[in-house]
Amino acid sequence: MILVADCSALIALASCNGLRWLEALFATVIVPEAVDQEAIVSHKPEAQQLKEFLKDKVRKIDPGSAVLLDGFSDLGETEAMVLDKQCAADKLLIDDKRGRRVARINHISTIGSLGILLAAKQAGLIDRISPSLAKLDDADVFISADLIATVMDLAGEEWPL
């Protein structure tokens, strides 16, 4: 299975030490150049960890490929969607709600960082997702209370710890 990743979800997973789950859950994890450049900016959270993780995962996009966009898509999201289509990826890792909506318009299957947490638990990579959610909360990663409640319910866990 091929996963193409966008930056914000990678940062979220890096903040809870979850990047390793991506390689356990997907045969191939790749990012476009714009996502790599966005993720490794020195002032960004987890930049060094992301630089090491992404070093062999960066791919060029075909500039002739097209996706439908809205007026708010950033370069990383845009290139990630193009790369997803170009590689016939199985999933696009993206957390941004608006970006996920644009991906659906382009018939791109998405998963978010919390979906990765659930998949990691289901695969037996972690016993509980609540400690990872606490790390996300400590890292100031915004997650709506409704989404947390839904994910915790799906995981069969209680929140807060």
Side-chain angles (χ1 to χ4, degrees):
M1 287 185 62
I2 300 172
L3 176 78
V4 174
D6 185 39
C7 190
S8 61
L10 286 172
I11 291 171
L13 289 169
S15 71
C16 66
N17 301 315
L19 292 174
R20 67 187 186 282
W21 305 327
L22 296 177
E23 292 177 319
L25 295 168
F26 296 90
T28 304
V29 178
I30 56 176
V31 298
E33 292 173 317
V35 168
D36 179 57
Q37 292 304 308
E38 189 179 339
I40 64 171
V41 174
S42 61
H43 71 276
K44 290 260 185 176
E46 315 300 339
Q48 187 58 41
Q49 182 183 359
L50 286 165
K51 183 175 184 175
E52 291 170 23
F53 179 75
L54 296 175
K55 69 181 170 195
D56 59 347
K57 295 172 177 54
V58 182
R59 303 291 184 274
K60 289 188 179 290
I61 63 161
D62 175 3
S65 298
V67 292
L68 297 172
L69 300 172
D70 64 6
F72 303 100
S73 296
D74 68 26
L75 185 59
E77 286 176 350
T78 301
E79 283 195 7
M81 288 185 212
V82 169
L83 185 60
D84 182 279
K85 290 288 208 178
Q86 183 180 313
C87 296
D90 297 285
K91 293 283 184 188
L92 172 65
L93 176 63
I94 185 169
D95 277 349
D96 180 76
K97 186 177 181 179
R98 183 209 40 76
R100 291 168 73 97
R101 198 172 308 125
V102 173
R104 271 194 306 277
I105 290 168
N106 285 284
H107 306 285
I108 294 172
S109 179
T110 62
I111 189 168
S113 56
L114 297 187
I116 295 294
L117 288 176
L118 284 169
K121 181 175 180 176
Q122 290 169 345
L125 301 173
I126 56 175
D127 294 325
R128 298 171 34 102
I129 66 168
S130 50
S132 296
L133 273 176
K135 287 179 183 176
L136 288 172
D137 192 44
D138 290 343
D140 289 330
V141 173
F142 174 75
I143 305 167
S144 74
D146 288 343
L147 183 55
I148 289 173
T150 299
V151 169
M152 294 304 290
D153 186 49
L154 289 170
E157 297 180 33
E158 298 287 321
W159 182 261
L161 297 173

